[in-house]
């Protein structure tokens, strides 16, 4: 891709200024001659793009050994999360080896994941403009500056805003209302979301501005790269699509989906669309591409009728297993922060979505799965 004449000198200066931030992210800087560098696609944001829960191939009730083949951290004698999350197993960013950008295939020479589980929009902003370091790492925009200097960045994909809205608190509240209080959560949680969503979207808006400022500072013209803003999938099914009865304890003890039908319906058909539509609005206002993931896990959610638990007789399979991590409040299998995130199969599917939109340089798209198929069955549908 042709570059503006002034870009070479500016990028070489940026390498020197930003190399420290890149090292903080665990990415070795490569200073290319004449300011050129290997092509790169960069992912930024929170746990839904960092690769959280990529450790798991479906869900199994077996709590020892390899959990019927679901636990990719099993070494044969112990559990080593770094097999999946690398060095970020220690700080909790949980950038898995199957994270979206890592699963997208050969879409660039460098597939660079700067996202961190638990990050908010303030963890994306540059430190000079209100950004906050997180889990021992510099703000993601500052890390991006080093990547932009040493690589030819063509696409930046962003998933952020969910932690500003308190997604983890919503899940915790709804599960507690089911298990402990026998009451609904959707009414008070809807009010909480309504009270936070404007500020959250303003943060997403500013995140896009911060990315653009970094790229301009590295000498990139607006036409040299693109930003893809993506939404969130629902990890739980509608009440009618849940394979466990609403009464009793099977949703809690067997399926790991402790939600009332009305709360599940609210999450699937009100909360997720509300957030998706607002993110789409930000994308339109900022002139970036939008990838709608609200239906990406349809039929593959935790407890979905069309998916199965893994067992000694039902092997882990992208065709039949769940694509999201269940709720395990007692942490009998891994840390609670992995709960209700796309698992290894879900991450592979997200990677396919990214590969598909990478081939579409313009337009907004919804990414969905094909029943009974793995990641290769993901497909895009244009959205206006």
């Amino acid at each position: 891709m042709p570059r503006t004449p002034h870009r070479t000198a500016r990028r070489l200066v940026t390498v020197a200024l930003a190399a420290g931030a890149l090292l903080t992210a665990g990415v070795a800087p490569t200073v290319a001659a004449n300011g050129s560098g290997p092509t790169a696609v960069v992912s930024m944001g929170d746990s839904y793009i960092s690769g959280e829960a990529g450790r798991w191939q479906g869900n199994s009730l077996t709590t020892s050994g390899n959990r019927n083949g679901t636990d990719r951290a099993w070494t044969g004698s112990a559990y080593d999360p770094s097999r999946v999350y690398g060095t970020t197993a220690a700080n909790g960013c949980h950038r898995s080896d199957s994270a979206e950008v890592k699963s997208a295939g050969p879409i660039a020479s460098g597939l660079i994941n700067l996202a961190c589980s638990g990050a908010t929009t303030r963890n994306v902003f540059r430190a000079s403009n209100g950004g906050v370091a997180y889990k021992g790492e510099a703000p993601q925009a500052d890390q991006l500056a080093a990547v932009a200097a040493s690589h030819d960045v063509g696409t930046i994909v962003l998933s952020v805003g969910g932690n500003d809205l308190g997604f983890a608190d919503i899940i915790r509240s709804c599960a507690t209302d089911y298990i402990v209080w026998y009451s609904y959560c959707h009414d008070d949680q809807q009010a909480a979301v309504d009270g936070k969503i404007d500020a959250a979207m303003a943060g997403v808006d500013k995140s896009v501005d911060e990315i653009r400022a970094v790229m301009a500072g590295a000498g990139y013209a607006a036409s040299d790269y693109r930003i893809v803003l993506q939404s969130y999938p629902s990890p739980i099914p509608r009440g009618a699509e849940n394979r466990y009865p609403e009464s009793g304890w099977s949703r809690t003890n067997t399926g790991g989906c402790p939600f009332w039908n009305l709360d599940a319906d609210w999450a699937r058909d009100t909360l997720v669309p509300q957030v998706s539509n607002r993110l789409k609005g930000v994308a339109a206002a900022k002139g970036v591409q939008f990838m709608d993931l609200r239906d990406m896990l349809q039929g593959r959610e935790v407890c979905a009728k069309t998916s199965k638990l893994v067992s000694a007789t039902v092997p882990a399979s992208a065709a039949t297993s769940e694509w999201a991590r269940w709720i395990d409040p007692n942490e009998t299998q891994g840390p609670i922060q992995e709960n209700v995130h796309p698992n290894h199969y879900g991450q592979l599917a997200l990677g396919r979505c990214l590969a598909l939109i990478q081939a579409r340089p313009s337009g907004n798209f919804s990414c969905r799965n094909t029943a009974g198929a793995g990641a290769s069955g993901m497909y895009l549908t244009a959205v206006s």
Side-chain angles (χ1 to χ4, degrees), residues 314-365:
V314 181
S317 165
T320 61
S321 301
E322 295 164 334
W323 285 9
R325 188 64 180 155
W326 59 12
I327 290 182
D328 179 18
N330 297 319
E331 297 186 287
T332 58
Q333 300 184 36
I336 198 168
Q337 75 178 65
E338 294 178 318
N339 293 181
V340 295
H341 287 87
N343 62 22
H344 178 65
Y345 296 134
Q347 300 293 339
L348 296 179
L350 285 168
R352 180 59 180 163
C353 291
L354 176 56
L356 290 170
I357 204 167
Q358 176 72 5
R360 304 286 189 95
S362 63
N364 300 325
F365 298 91

Side-chain angles (χ1 to χ4, degrees), residues 183-244:
S183 61
Y184 295 121
C185 74
H186 61 269
D187 44 2
D188 56 323
Q189 291 305 309
Q190 182 64 63
V193 169
D194 290 343
K196 295 177 179 178
I197 197 163
D198 286 344
M201 293 303 114
V204 178
D205 185 291
K206 182 176 176 179
S207 295
V208 174
D209 287 344
E210 291 290 286
I211 290 170
R212 282 186 166 148
V214 166
M215 297 301 285
Y220 289 71
S223 59
D224 288 336
Y225 69 99
R226 57 177 159 147
I227 299 172
V228 177
L229 177 64
Q230 65 185 43
S231 66
Y232 297 91
S234 174
I236 59 173
R238 299 175 179 89
E241 296 168 350
N242 195 307
R243 63 176 178 265
Y244 301 103

Side-chain angles (χ1 to χ4, degrees), residues 39-43 100-112 152 154-155 157 226 350-359:
T39 59
V41 173
V42 181
S43 60
E100 182 176 322
V101 73
K102 298 294 186 179
S103 298
I107 58 175
S109 298
L111 304 174
I112 300 172
D152 179 5
T155 301
V157 57
R226 57 177 159 147
L350 285 168
R352 180 59 180 163
C353 291
L354 176 56
L356 290 170
I357 204 167
Q358 176 72 5

